[in-house]
Amino acid sequence: MHKRPKIVILGAGYGGMMTATRLQKANAHHDAEITLVNKHNYHYQTTWLHEPAAGTLHHDRTRMRIDSVIDTKKIHFIKDAVSEIKTDEQKVILEGGELEYDYLVIGLGSEPETFGIPGVEEHAFAIRSVNSVRHIREHIEYKFASYNSQEEKHDEDLTFIVAGAGFTGIEFVGELSKRVPELCEEYDIDRDKVKIYSVEAAPTALPGFDDELVNYAMNLLESRGVEFLINTPIKEVKEDGVLLNNGEEIKASTVVWTTGVRGNAVIEKSGFEAMRGRIKVEKDLRAPGFDNIFVIGDCALIINEEINRPYPPTAQIAIQQSYTCSNNIKALIAGKEKLEEFTPDIKGTVASLGGKEAIGLVGSTKLYGHSASAMKKVIDNRYLFLLGGMPLVLKKGKLNFF
Amino acid sequence: MHKRPKIVILGAGYGGMMTATRLQKANAHHDAEITLVNKHNYHYQTTWLHEPAAGTLHHDRTRMRIDSVIDTKKIHFIKDAVSEIKTDEQKVILEGGELEYDYLVIGLGSEPETFGIPGVEEHAFAIRSVNSVRHIREHIEYKFASYNSQEEKHDEDLTFIVAGAGFTGIEFVGELSKRVPELCEEYDIDRDKVKIYSVEAAPTALPGFDDELVNYAMNLLESRGVEFLINTPIKEVKEDGVLLNNGEEIKASTVVWTTGVRGNAVIEKSGFEAMRGRIKVEKDLRAPGFDNIFVIGDCALIINEEINRPYPPTAQIAIQQSYTCSNNIKALIAGKEKLEEFTPDIKGTVASLGGKEAIGLVGSTKLYGHSASAMKKVIDNRYLFLLGGMPLVLKKGKLNFF
């Protein structure tokens, strides 16, 4: 009996988790030894994190234990952080050990992009993990809770700056603008004292999105008291607020940084050729020059040839890649040479705006308000269904449609 | 028609609130113009505050709008803070104005006693108001929420020092020791990383209380992971913990100061003769030398002649004083010369220990565990009944007996 090949999957985000699930369903563990590595013993839904960050959804609703979805008798699970990939030795260095692989799937996800702006890492929060978002939620709540005990009022404690009006920024501002009145009620604070700024360097919020939908979103958020500073690059984040390029300062004790993401630092550290931490993968999702390393999710760069620009990294693409990736690994193990090519199939984009509000484009159909919000929930639930079937939808799904 | 005399009640704590209620029930507003002044538009239950401080009860359960209890058509309510009493002009100076009085009731409550220990005011929290306790609750929660996002762990963020093992200190430690496992669960933190210290300068916890009950309480709290440092005076509170008299330091990001109270600073500022902010009142509860100023609650000093020491200020005594005080004011208005004398009637003392646990002495009967806990709830509900009748008990009472 020949030795079973080792498949190692790094990261249990959308891509890694779905790849593991697909391989398990296909009984690939009969032909290979499969190991999934993740920093935490839970998987979380990155695209939901703006909600627990604002405190409008409990963070446990966005995560699930990995062993509640994966059968760990079929797929080994190792809770550890990845330090480096040694491609010449076909080894992964973990913080607490190392792992050999025959086939590697890199699904390590993203990191916030700071664009080298000083102070972002030291003074701004990022919406990136369960740990980071409950930190944000409690930070915000603490600012409200401590305000009335202050003898001299620090009004900057009630000013919230969200840097970046892309999808994550707008979705977070949407939740925050729904949460603020509740916090004012809870802590006896006048709503007028609270300021929410959405600051964006580009000439519009949601750059690249449909104008009419952008207007709808901005009007709605303004009606909830959000102030937009569009066309307003930030020069520096300070301990007590931000300095804008135009020389103005806004004092704020809370700055949340949402100006986009880059690939994982492990990519560069491991010597892969990369652009901002993302590997421009072959059509079969392998890293150029490696016939046994697949890259999926936020670390994979795919060009949209229609406009000759990279697709933005989304959960949707990561999930689709997991299908191609798991099929290709099975093909390689079976000794086939012809691999599947990956083509993204963008079904649509919906951004939630807090409460029952959202905007979306599905094909060329524009959605607003409650129908967009319901569509967003359909998308969220569909992923849960793909991952863990109806039981997972019932356990973690968003079932409060109306 | 002669001018109606003005009764001004300062403070809507136990004493002031009950005095106002008693006067209203006796229809004193027909014969006098009654004004109640309080910093907030709500009354709160000081003796419950250790619960919202730990996060085991919502702070709204401990407070009620003053106009939901007092009929403001009968008693004027002014939301303002008292700066000074000008006894020579029969005037009260408020932050936002001034008030003349013919009869004055001082029920301004207490302030934390720091004993001049450096750093207490700057670095320690006090359990003294709705504002202060929700600040503590959120501070504690924030320490848990931020811990997992720290690259270098600050273990002192999970160390909680409660200075003072008197009633408030022990009751708070009791709630905190019940809350910590919930916070560990919520924020994925190992319970063993969390330390709770109860630090007391005296040679025992709950000095003056029954030994057997003290032992019961200490054993119970130790079984929940509380570490007692008895006979251990604190020399200084620092930004990052406490320095003990014995030269040791304990690093902690949270220090809650519960070493007892003194009377209100307004007392001294207004020129009354006082001991630690408390006026040694006459038997009829008037301030010595003033025939129209009554002092009740934490600002009144009453000597227990059996042991020749002051009674500790309690809600029980404040409530009893409100009966004598309101009767005496009515008598004065009616032109009577003979006033009632106040004698405390100490019915018992019960300290809650978190969950369904408590200890108590009712007469000479010792109570433990669930029966003490149920007695504590009876006491809490009885006060609500005195204040606002059964509707208030149903709205704010503690009805979860078993």
Side-chain angles (χ1 to χ4, degrees):
Chain A
M1 186 185 144
H2 74 287
K3 202 161 156 274
R4 289 190 308 163
K6 294 179 199 292
I7 305 173
V8 172
I9 304 169
L10 303 181
Y14 291 104
M17 199 67 180
M18 280 297 295
T19 301
T21 308
R22 299 287 305 161
L23 289 172
Q24 178 183 310
K25 277 191 189 154
N27 285 318
H29 52 283
H30 293 316
D31 305 314
E33 195 181 301
I34 311 173
T35 304
L36 173 65
V37 181
N38 195 55
K39 199 172 169 181
H40 309 288
N41 65 359
Y42 53 84
H43 162 71
Y44 58 84
Q45 304 237 53
T46 314
T47 61
W48 295 21
L49 290 178
H50 54 285
E51 298 177 57
T56 49
L57 184 78
H58 193 272
H59 58 259
D60 281 339
R61 286 285 306 281
T62 71
R63 66 173 172 174
M64 56 207 77
R65 285 185 63 96
I66 287 169
D67 62 12
S68 74
V69 178
I70 300 287
D71 182 344
T72 52
K73 288 194 292 295
K74 297 175 179 172
I75 295 183
H76 304 296
F77 171 64
I78 294 178
K79 178 178 174 291
D80 205 342
V82 176
S83 302
E84 194 182 339
I85 299 159
K86 299 233 183 233
T87 51
D88 48 346
E89 304 172 50
Q90 300 212 152
K91 239 191 229 173
V92 179
I93 312 299
L94 306 175
E95 277 182 11
E98 48 182 68
L99 271 180
E100 291 180 0
Y101 64 81
D102 296 300
Y103 300 99
L104 186 67
V105 179
I106 303 177
L108 287 170
S110 62
E111 295 179 357
E113 176 62 90
T114 67
F115 302 109
I117 293 170
V120 176
E121 281 184 28
E122 297 87 334
H123 307 305
F125 290 96
I127 295 175
R128 63 180 301 197
S129 64
V130 169
N131 283 332
S132 83
V133 298
R134 59 189 169 191
H135 191 175
I136 295 172
R137 177 191 73 197
E138 289 304 313
H139 174 86
I140 293 171
E141 192 153 349
Y142 186 64
K143 293 300 155 194
F144 279 87
S146 54
Y147 186 79
N148 276 341
S149 318
Q150 293 168 359
E151 295 209 5
E152 259 178 71
K153 299 298 181 201
H154 301 290
D155 282 337
E156 68 272 23
D157 278 3
L158 301 179
T159 299
F160 301 90
I161 295 177
V162 181
F167 268 83
T168 305
I170 288 293
E171 288 194 311
F172 176 62
V173 160
E175 297 301 319
L176 188 60
S177 62
K178 288 298 275 187
R179 179 75 176 127
V180 158
E182 294 172 10
L183 289 167
C184 287
E185 172 81 19
E186 172 81 2
Y187 295 108
D188 304 326
I189 287 175
D190 183 354
R191 173 63 185 85
D192 294 340
K193 291 212 169 290
V194 183
K195 307 242 175 291
I196 306 175
Y197 291 102
S198 172
V199 184
E200 171 59 52
T204 173
L206 296 169
F209 208 56
D210 179 87
D211 278 352
E212 207 180 316
L213 293 173
V214 173
N215 277 336
Y216 179 89
M218 287 179 73
N219 286 336
L220 177 78
L221 294 174
E222 280 174 343
S223 78
R224 294 194 197 140
V226 175
E227 296 178 46
F228 283 95
L229 299 175
I230 298 299
N231 234 333
T232 308
I234 289 172
K235 191 172 187 176
E236 187 180 345
V237 180
K238 300 182 157 194
E239 204 182 344
D240 62 347
V242 299
L243 175 63
L244 304 175
N245 270 13
N246 64 19
E248 275 178 53
E249 275 194 61
I250 309 175
K251 297 276 177 207
S253 302
T254 310
V255 179
V256 178
W257 197 258
T258 71
T259 63
V261 295
R262 64 190 315 290
N264 199 291
V266 168
I267 298 294
E268 283 143 341
K269 197 174 166 196
S270 306
F272 290 100
E273 196 175 314
M275 290 165 61
R276 295 168 54 202
R278 302 176 74 194
I279 299 172
K280 189 163 173 290
V281 291
E282 307 287 358
K283 287 206 177 298
D284 57 18
L285 297 179
R286 286 189 285 194
F290 297 94
D291 60 7
N292 62 343
I293 301 182
F294 292 83
V295 188
I296 58 177
D298 293 353
C299 293
L301 183 71
I302 311 262
I303 299 293
N304 181 345
E305 284 166 5
E306 282 178 37
I307 54 172
N308 199 30
R309 291 195 53 187
Y311 281 103
T314 61
Q316 189 174 189
I317 288 182
I319 293 165
Q320 290 174 5
Q321 287 173 332
S322 73
Y323 281 69
T324 307
C325 173
S326 55
N327 289 344
N328 284 348
I329 287 179
K330 283 184 289 173
L332 287 175
I333 289 174
K336 294 181 191 163
E337 293 208 346
K338 178 118 186 80
L339 298 188
E340 265 183 35
E341 293 193 351
F342 175 71
T343 320
D345 175 18
I346 307 300
K347 308 222 186 266
T349 311
V350 185
S352 65
L353 300 172
K356 303 279 187 201
E357 284 287 351
I359 50 171
L361 261 182
V362 176
S364 60
T365 307
K366 295 176 193 180
L367 296 174
Y368 300 85
H370 291 209
S371 58
S373 172
M375 177 59 74
K376 178 85 176 175
K377 286 172 185 153
V378 169
I379 294 168
D380 289 342
N381 291 336
R382 183 165 176 276
Y383 166 66
L384 290 172
F385 183 76
L386 293 176
L387 191 64
M390 201 38 95
L392 192 58
V393 175
L394 291 175
K395 207 163 130 197
K396 299 282 179 178
K398 293 184 172 168
L399 306 170
N400 54 333
F401 279 88
F402 298 106
Chain B
M1 184 186 146
H2 72 287
K3 203 162 154 274
R4 288 191 308 163
K6 294 179 200 291
I7 305 173
V8 172
I9 305 169
L10 304 181
Y14 291 104
M17 198 68 180
M18 280 297 296
T19 301
T21 309
R22 299 285 307 162
L23 290 172
Q24 178 183 309
K25 277 192 188 152
N27 284 319
H29 52 284
H30 292 316
D31 306 313
E33 195 181 302
I34 310 173
T35 304
L36 174 65
V37 181
N38 195 56
K39 199 173 170 181
H40 309 288
N41 64 0
Y42 53 84
H43 162 71
Y44 58 84
Q45 303 237 55
T46 313
T47 61
W48 295 21
L49 289 179
H50 55 284
E51 298 178 58
T56 48
L57 185 77
H58 193 272
H59 59 258
D60 281 339
R61 286 285 306 282
T62 71
R63 66 174 173 174
M64 56 207 77
R65 285 185 63 96
I66 287 169
D67 62 12
S68 75
V69 178
I70 300 286
D71 182 344
T72 52
K73 288 193 294 294
K74 296 175 179 170
I75 295 183
H76 305 296
F77 171 64
I78 295 178
K79 179 178 172 292
D80 205 341
V82 176
S83 302
E84 195 182 340
I85 300 159
K86 298 230 183 237
T87 51
D88 50 345
E89 303 173 48
Q90 301 211 153
K91 241 191 227 172
V92 178
I93 311 299
L94 306 175
E95 277 182 11
E98 48 182 68
L99 272 179
E100 290 181 1
Y101 64 81
D102 296 300
Y103 300 98
L104 186 67
V105 179
I106 303 178
L108 287 170
S110 62
E111 295 179 358
E113 176 61 90
T114 67
F115 301 108
I117 293 171
V120 176
E121 281 183 28
E122 297 87 334
H123 306 304
F125 291 96
I127 296 174
R128 62 180 301 195
S129 64
V130 170
N131 282 331
S132 82
V133 297
R134 60 188 168 192
H135 191 177
I136 295 172
R137 177 191 73 198
E138 289 303 314
H139 174 86
I140 293 171
E141 192 152 347
Y142 185 64
K143 294 300 154 193
F144 279 86
S146 54
Y147 186 78
N148 276 341
S149 319
Q150 293 168 359
E151 295 209 5
E152 260 178 71
K153 300 296 182 201
H154 301 290
D155 282 338
E156 68 271 22
D157 278 3
L158 301 179
T159 300
F160 301 90
I161 295 177
V162 181
F167 269 82
T168 305
I170 288 293
E171 289 194 311
F172 177 62
V173 161
E175 297 302 319
L176 187 61
S177 62
K178 288 298 274 186
R179 179 76 175 127
V180 158
E182 294 172 10
L183 288 167
C184 287
E185 171 81 20
E186 172 82 1
Y187 295 107
D188 303 326
I189 286 175
D190 183 355
R191 172 62 185 85
D192 294 340
K193 289 210 169 294
V194 183
K195 306 243 174 292
I196 305 175
Y197 291 101
S198 172
V199 184
E200 171 60 51
T204 173
L206 296 168
F209 207 54
D210 178 87
D211 278 352
E212 207 180 319
L213 294 173
V214 173
N215 277 337
Y216 180 90
M218 287 179 74
N219 286 336
L220 178 79
L221 295 174
E222 280 174 342
S223 78
R224 294 194 197 140
V226 175
E227 296 177 47
F228 283 96
L229 299 175
I230 299 297
N231 235 332
T232 309
I234 290 171
K235 192 171 186 176
E236 187 180 345
V237 181
K238 300 182 157 195
E239 204 183 346
D240 61 348
V242 298
L243 174 63
L244 305 175
N245 270 14
N246 64 20
E248 276 178 52
E249 275 194 64
I250 309 175
K251 298 275 177 206
S253 303
T254 311
V255 179
V256 179
W257 198 258
T258 71
T259 64
V261 295
R262 65 190 314 290
N264 199 290
V266 168
I267 298 293
E268 283 143 341
K269 197 173 167 195
S270 306
F272 289 99
E273 197 175 314
M275 289 165 63
R276 296 167 54 201
R278 303 176 74 195
I279 299 172
K280 189 162 172 290
V281 290
E282 306 287 358
K283 288 209 175 299
D284 57 18
L285 297 180
R286 286 189 285 193
F290 297 95
D291 60 7
N292 61 343
I293 300 183
F294 291 84
V295 188
I296 59 177
D298 293 353
C299 293
L301 183 71
I302 313 262
I303 300 294
N304 181 345
E305 284 165 6
E306 281 178 38
I307 54 173
N308 200 28
R309 291 194 54 185
Y311 281 103
T314 61
Q316 189 175 189
I317 289 182
I319 294 164
Q320 290 175 5
Q321 286 173 332
S322 73
Y323 281 69
T324 306
C325 174
S326 55
N327 289 343
N328 284 348
I329 288 178
K330 283 184 289 172
L332 287 175
I333 289 173
K336 294 181 190 162
E337 294 208 348
K338 178 118 186 81
L339 297 188
E340 264 182 36
E341 293 193 353
F342 175 69
T343 319
D345 174 17
I346 308 300
K347 308 224 186 263
T349 311
V350 185
S352 65
L353 299 172
K356 304 278 187 200
E357 284 288 349
I359 50 171
L361 261 182
V362 177
S364 60
T365 306
K366 295 176 192 180
L367 296 174
Y368 299 84
H370 292 207
S371 58
S373 172
M375 177 58 74
K376 178 85 176 175
K377 285 171 185 154
V378 169
I379 294 168
D380 289 341
N381 291 337
R382 182 164 177 278
Y383 166 66
L384 290 172
F385 183 76
L386 292 176
L387 190 64
M390 201 39 94
L392 192 58
V393 175
L394 292 174
K395 206 163 130 197
K396 299 282 180 179
K398 292 184 174 170
L399 306 170
N400 55 332
F401 278 88
F402 297 105

